[in-house]
Amino acid sequence: MISYSRWLMAGGTALLTVQFFLQYFFHFRQMGVTQGVLVNLLFFIPSSWLFSLSILWLQRQGRIGWDLFLPGLLSWILTSSLLVIAAIINIQPSWNNTIQIRYAELASAVVYFAMNAYYTTTNILGNRRLRRALSNFYDYETGDMLYWMERSVQMLSLIVYGVPIIIFFHGFFLIAFALLILYLIYYLVFCFVCYVVSNDSKKVNEAETNAVKVKMDEKNDMSVDDIQRMTAIVDRWVASGGYLKSGITMQTVVAEMHIPRYQLAAWLKTTEWELFNPWLTHLRIEEAKRVMKEHPDWSNDAIATQCGFSSRTYFQKVFRLQTGMTPSEFVER
């Protein structure tokens, strides 16, 4: 699965590299805006398509149907056809600035925008689905495995939504946008490499598989006695400080409690948090509040480590989301 996604990412990067080299060596922009736009459109469309497919391939564990594959291919064919037809109608080389070529470029830019709007929306929905699948199996730190996906979609959005407009400019705005694109592409590829190296896709696959099983397990309602028994088990585990371990999973928690996973999942459904992530985060935030009251001089790094958060920045982010204030503001109050 990762191998195919890696090749898709490499293909998109290679196309952009070729595009930049062509622009540099043949000086298309010096010939005129039209020449530069032609090359940009013909390379940016398949490149953005491959980048989007690379992310979708991982999100869906390689289950990509024709509904996801065809839009990019058809967009590139349509764009190429528009530019070729415009040149044939005018009976002039494609490098000439003609009204037909200009209209074809504008139409192609609209096609490019629509294609990426489709893939961006699909990627966003896919990230939400994965986060939901993971929310009942891993603590929020493992949500970082989806961080690059979400940021990559945002980065791609900046590129693809800006390209149809910026490529018609020249001068300072074009140079600034080109530098921004280089940075965003570097960020996208770097995060992808880090994701592959971390091999976190195995967790995604396990979470999605388990999510289906738990949906079946959770259909069974818990009796009052079962709830009381589970509450006692959970209280003992909380008292032992098990929730303060960073990177724990639902599987490791139920192993420490010596209960089946479905029992903890069913018990969580009876609480206000319902899922593993929100419940675990609540426990850690409450512990962080206690620590800050007892040790107001402690740094955020020390508090994050003490309370099971993977980093200071993540602790600060979650604390603010949960309490509406920063850790320092909490200490002051």
Side-chain angles (χ1 to χ4, degrees), residues 53-69:
L53 285 181
S54 177
I55 298 173
L56 287 169
W57 193 277
L58 287 176
Q59 285 181 348
R60 296 169 177 254
Q61 301 294 291
R63 296 186 294 271
I64 293 183
W66 288 104
D67 59 319
L68 295 176
F69 182 82

PDB file of all heavy atoms in Angstrom, residues 53-69:
ATOM      1  N   LEU A  53      -4.025  11.649  -5.105  1.00  0.00           N
ATOM      2  CA  LEU A  53      -4.201  10.195  -5.092  1.00  0.00           C
ATOM      3  C   LEU A  53      -3.272   9.527  -4.077  1.00  0.00           C
ATOM      4  O   LEU A  53      -3.649   8.535  -3.449  1.00  0.00           O
ATOM      5  CB  LEU A  53      -3.931   9.621  -6.484  1.00  0.00           C
ATOM      6  CG  LEU A  53      -5.005   9.839  -7.550  1.00  0.00           C
ATOM      7  CD1 LEU A  53      -4.574   9.184  -8.863  1.00  0.00           C
ATOM      8  CD2 LEU A  53      -6.357   9.299  -7.104  1.00  0.00           C
ATOM      9  N   SER A  54      -2.082  10.086  -3.905  1.00  0.00           N
ATOM     10  CA  SER A  54      -1.139   9.517  -2.943  1.00  0.00           C
ATOM     11  C   SER A  54      -1.709   9.564  -1.529  1.00  0.00           C
ATOM     12  O   SER A  54      -1.606   8.584  -0.781  1.00  0.00           O
ATOM     13  CB  SER A  54       0.182  10.289  -2.997  1.00  0.00           C
ATOM     14  OG  SER A  54       1.084   9.814  -2.030  1.00  0.00           O
ATOM     15  N   ILE A  55      -2.314  10.685  -1.177  1.00  0.00           N
ATOM     16  CA  ILE A  55      -2.913  10.817   0.153  1.00  0.00           C
ATOM     17  C   ILE A  55      -4.142   9.922   0.267  1.00  0.00           C
ATOM     18  O   ILE A  55      -4.337   9.224   1.264  1.00  0.00           O
ATOM     19  CB  ILE A  55      -3.291  12.281   0.422  1.00  0.00           C
ATOM     20  CG1 ILE A  55      -2.026  13.153   0.399  1.00  0.00           C
ATOM     21  CG2 ILE A  55      -3.999  12.420   1.773  1.00  0.00           C
ATOM     22  CD1 ILE A  55      -2.307  14.632   0.491  1.00  0.00           C
ATOM     23  N   LEU A  56      -4.986   9.918  -0.770  1.00  0.00           N
ATOM     24  CA  LEU A  56      -6.189   9.099  -0.741  1.00  0.00           C
ATOM     25  C   LEU A  56      -5.859   7.610  -0.671  1.00  0.00           C
ATOM     26  O   LEU A  56      -6.583   6.834  -0.054  1.00  0.00           O
ATOM     27  CB  LEU A  56      -7.036   9.394  -1.986  1.00  0.00           C
ATOM     28  CG  LEU A  56      -7.762  10.736  -2.005  1.00  0.00           C
ATOM     29  CD1 LEU A  56      -8.335  11.022  -3.383  1.00  0.00           C
ATOM     30  CD2 LEU A  56      -8.865  10.767  -0.959  1.00  0.00           C
ATOM     31  N   TRP A  57      -4.760   7.230  -1.315  1.00  0.00           N
ATOM     32  CA  TRP A  57      -4.368   5.816  -1.308  1.00  0.00           C
ATOM     33  C   TRP A  57      -4.104   5.332   0.106  1.00  0.00           C
ATOM     34  O   TRP A  57      -4.469   4.220   0.485  1.00  0.00           O
ATOM     35  CB  TRP A  57      -3.134   5.634  -2.184  1.00  0.00           C
ATOM     36  CG  TRP A  57      -2.826   4.193  -2.499  1.00  0.00           C
ATOM     37  CD1 TRP A  57      -2.143   3.311  -1.722  1.00  0.00           C
ATOM     38  CD2 TRP A  57      -3.214   3.473  -3.671  1.00  0.00           C
ATOM     39  NE1 TRP A  57      -2.059   2.080  -2.328  1.00  0.00           N
ATOM     40  CE2 TRP A  57      -2.718   2.149  -3.536  1.00  0.00           C
ATOM     41  CE3 TRP A  57      -3.903   3.809  -4.828  1.00  0.00           C
ATOM     42  CZ2 TRP A  57      -2.900   1.184  -4.514  1.00  0.00           C
ATOM     43  CZ3 TRP A  57      -4.085   2.838  -5.799  1.00  0.00           C
ATOM     44  CH2 TRP A  57      -3.600   1.545  -5.632  1.00  0.00           C
ATOM     45  N   LEU A  58      -3.439   6.188   0.904  1.00  0.00           N
ATOM     46  CA  LEU A  58      -3.176   5.824   2.293  1.00  0.00           C
ATOM     47  C   LEU A  58      -4.438   5.892   3.136  1.00  0.00           C
ATOM     48  O   LEU A  58      -4.668   5.036   3.992  1.00  0.00           O
ATOM     49  CB  LEU A  58      -2.108   6.755   2.880  1.00  0.00           C
ATOM     50  CG  LEU A  58      -0.680   6.539   2.387  1.00  0.00           C
ATOM     51  CD1 LEU A  58       0.242   7.594   2.970  1.00  0.00           C
ATOM     52  CD2 LEU A  58      -0.181   5.150   2.734  1.00  0.00           C
ATOM     53  N   GLN A  59      -5.241   6.911   2.918  1.00  0.00           N
ATOM     54  CA  GLN A  59      -6.478   7.055   3.690  1.00  0.00           C
ATOM     55  C   GLN A  59      -7.377   5.846   3.522  1.00  0.00           C
ATOM     56  O   GLN A  59      -7.975   5.360   4.484  1.00  0.00           O
ATOM     57  CB  GLN A  59      -7.232   8.306   3.247  1.00  0.00           C
ATOM     58  CG  GLN A  59      -6.647   9.610   3.726  1.00  0.00           C
ATOM     59  CD  GLN A  59      -7.475  10.787   3.261  1.00  0.00           C
ATOM     60  OE1 GLN A  59      -8.354  10.646   2.400  1.00  0.00           O
ATOM     61  NE2 GLN A  59      -7.208  11.952   3.808  1.00  0.00           N
ATOM     62  N   ARG A  60      -7.470   5.345   2.302  1.00  0.00           N
ATOM     63  CA  ARG A  60      -8.419   4.278   1.977  1.00  0.00           C
ATOM     64  C   ARG A  60      -7.748   2.915   1.867  1.00  0.00           C
ATOM     65  O   ARG A  60      -8.342   1.971   1.340  1.00  0.00           O
ATOM     66  CB  ARG A  60      -9.150   4.613   0.678  1.00  0.00           C
ATOM     67  CG  ARG A  60     -10.010   5.869   0.809  1.00  0.00           C
ATOM     68  CD  ARG A  60     -10.515   6.352  -0.537  1.00  0.00           C
ATOM     69  NE  ARG A  60     -11.384   7.503  -0.354  1.00  0.00           N
ATOM     70  CZ  ARG A  60     -12.709   7.493  -0.468  1.00  0.00           C
ATOM     71  NH1 ARG A  60     -13.330   6.362  -0.767  1.00  0.00           N
ATOM     72  NH2 ARG A  60     -13.424   8.586  -0.289  1.00  0.00           N
ATOM     73  N   GLN A  61      -6.504   2.837   2.350  1.00  0.00           N
ATOM     74  CA  GLN A  61      -5.803   1.553   2.339  1.00  0.00           C
ATOM     75  C   GLN A  61      -5.748   0.943   0.941  1.00  0.00           C
ATOM     76  O   GLN A  61      -5.907  -0.263   0.757  1.00  0.00           O
ATOM     77  CB  GLN A  61      -6.481   0.582   3.308  1.00  0.00           C
ATOM     78  CG  GLN A  61      -6.515   1.070   4.743  1.00  0.00           C
ATOM     79  CD  GLN A  61      -5.119   1.155   5.353  1.00  0.00           C
ATOM     80  OE1 GLN A  61      -4.492   0.144   5.581  1.00  0.00           O
ATOM     81  NE2 GLN A  61      -4.646   2.355   5.611  1.00  0.00           N
ATOM     82  N   GLY A  62      -5.550   1.787  -0.062  1.00  0.00           N
ATOM     83  CA  GLY A  62      -5.437   1.330  -1.433  1.00  0.00           C
ATOM     84  C   GLY A  62      -6.750   1.080  -2.143  1.00  0.00           C
ATOM     85  O   GLY A  62      -6.751   0.688  -3.318  1.00  0.00           O
ATOM     86  N   ARG A  63      -7.854   1.330  -1.440  1.00  0.00           N
ATOM     87  CA  ARG A  63      -9.168   1.081  -2.061  1.00  0.00           C
ATOM     88  C   ARG A  63      -9.642   2.352  -2.788  1.00  0.00           C
ATOM     89  O   ARG A  63     -10.484   3.094  -2.306  1.00  0.00           O
ATOM     90  CB  ARG A  63     -10.176   0.644  -0.998  1.00  0.00           C
ATOM     91  CG  ARG A  63      -9.826  -0.667  -0.333  1.00  0.00           C
ATOM     92  CD  ARG A  63     -10.929  -1.117   0.614  1.00  0.00           C
ATOM     93  NE  ARG A  63     -11.072  -0.223   1.745  1.00  0.00           N
ATOM     94  CZ  ARG A  63     -10.403  -0.342   2.875  1.00  0.00           C
ATOM     95  NH1 ARG A  63      -9.528  -1.337   3.031  1.00  0.00           N
ATOM     96  NH2 ARG A  63     -10.589   0.494   3.872  1.00  0.00           N
ATOM     97  N   ILE A  64      -9.080   2.566  -3.958  1.00  0.00           N
ATOM     98  CA  ILE A  64      -9.435   3.733  -4.764  1.00  0.00           C
ATOM     99  C   ILE A  64     -10.195   3.260  -5.996  1.00  0.00           C
ATOM    100  O   ILE A  64      -9.665   2.499  -6.809  1.00  0.00           O
ATOM    101  CB  ILE A  64      -8.190   4.530  -5.183  1.00  0.00           C
ATOM    102  CG1 ILE A  64      -7.540   5.162  -3.952  1.00  0.00           C
ATOM    103  CG2 ILE A  64      -8.547   5.605  -6.195  1.00  0.00           C
ATOM    104  CD1 ILE A  64      -6.340   6.020  -4.268  1.00  0.00           C
ATOM    105  N   GLY A  65     -11.415   3.715  -6.122  1.00  0.00           N
ATOM    106  CA  GLY A  65     -12.241   3.332  -7.262  1.00  0.00           C
ATOM    107  C   GLY A  65     -12.092   4.301  -8.415  1.00  0.00           C
ATOM    108  O   GLY A  65     -11.356   5.290  -8.358  1.00  0.00           O
ATOM    109  N   TRP A  66     -12.834   4.015  -9.479  1.00  0.00           N
ATOM    110  CA  TRP A  66     -12.771   4.867 -10.666  1.00  0.00           C
ATOM    111  C   TRP A  66     -13.303   6.263 -10.384  1.00  0.00           C
ATOM    112  O   TRP A  66     -12.943   7.227 -11.063  1.00  0.00           O
ATOM    113  CB  TRP A  66     -13.563   4.221 -11.802  1.00  0.00           C
ATOM    114  CG  TRP A  66     -12.900   3.016 -12.376  1.00  0.00           C
ATOM    115  CD1 TRP A  66     -13.224   1.705 -12.179  1.00  0.00           C
ATOM    116  CD2 TRP A  66     -11.745   3.006 -13.230  1.00  0.00           C
ATOM    117  NE1 TRP A  66     -12.370   0.880 -12.844  1.00  0.00           N
ATOM    118  CE2 TRP A  66     -11.446   1.653 -13.515  1.00  0.00           C
ATOM    119  CE3 TRP A  66     -10.953   3.999 -13.790  1.00  0.00           C
ATOM    120  CZ2 TRP A  66     -10.384   1.283 -14.328  1.00  0.00           C
ATOM    121  CZ3 TRP A  66      -9.882   3.631 -14.598  1.00  0.00           C
ATOM    122  CH2 TRP A  66      -9.608   2.285 -14.862  1.00  0.00           C
ATOM    123  N   ASP A  67     -14.178   6.402  -9.388  1.00  0.00           N
ATOM    124  CA  ASP A  67     -14.713   7.717  -9.067  1.00  0.00           C
ATOM    125  C   ASP A  67     -13.638   8.660  -8.539  1.00  0.00           C
ATOM    126  O   ASP A  67     -13.780   9.887  -8.622  1.00  0.00           O
ATOM    127  CB  ASP A  67     -15.831   7.596  -8.030  1.00  0.00           C
ATOM    128  CG  ASP A  67     -15.355   6.948  -6.737  1.00  0.00           C
ATOM    129  OD1 ASP A  67     -14.577   5.969  -6.828  1.00  0.00           O
ATOM    130  OD2 ASP A  67     -15.766   7.411  -5.658  1.00  0.00           O
ATOM    131  N   LEU A  68     -12.543   8.100  -8.007  1.00  0.00           N
ATOM    132  CA  LEU A  68     -11.435   8.922  -7.533  1.00  0.00           C
ATOM    133  C   LEU A  68     -10.312   9.010  -8.558  1.00  0.00           C
ATOM    134  O   LEU A  68      -9.562   9.990  -8.579  1.00  0.00           O
ATOM    135  CB  LEU A  68     -10.872   8.350  -6.220  1.00  0.00           C
ATOM    136  CG  LEU A  68     -11.819   8.385  -5.015  1.00  0.00           C
ATOM    137  CD1 LEU A  68     -11.168   7.702  -3.826  1.00  0.00           C
ATOM    138  CD2 LEU A  68     -12.194   9.812  -4.661  1.00  0.00           C
ATOM    139  N   PHE A  69     -10.199   8.009  -9.384  1.00  0.00           N
ATOM    140  CA  PHE A  69      -9.108   7.978 -10.356  1.00  0.00           C
ATOM    141  C   PHE A  69      -9.412   8.802 -11.607  1.00  0.00           C
ATOM    142  O   PHE A  69      -8.558   9.548 -12.103  1.00  0.00           O
ATOM    143  CB  PHE A  69      -8.823   6.523 -10.755  1.00  0.00           C
ATOM    144  CG  PHE A  69      -7.681   6.374 -11.716  1.00  0.00           C
ATOM    145  CD1 PHE A  69      -6.372   6.357 -11.260  1.00  0.00           C
ATOM    146  CD2 PHE A  69      -7.916   6.246 -13.077  1.00  0.00           C
ATOM    147  CE1 PHE A  69      -5.310   6.223 -12.147  1.00  0.00           C
ATOM    148  CE2 PHE A  69      -6.864   6.114 -13.972  1.00  0.00           C
ATOM    149  CZ  PHE A  69      -5.551   6.101 -13.504  1.00  0.00           C
TER     150      PHE A  69
END
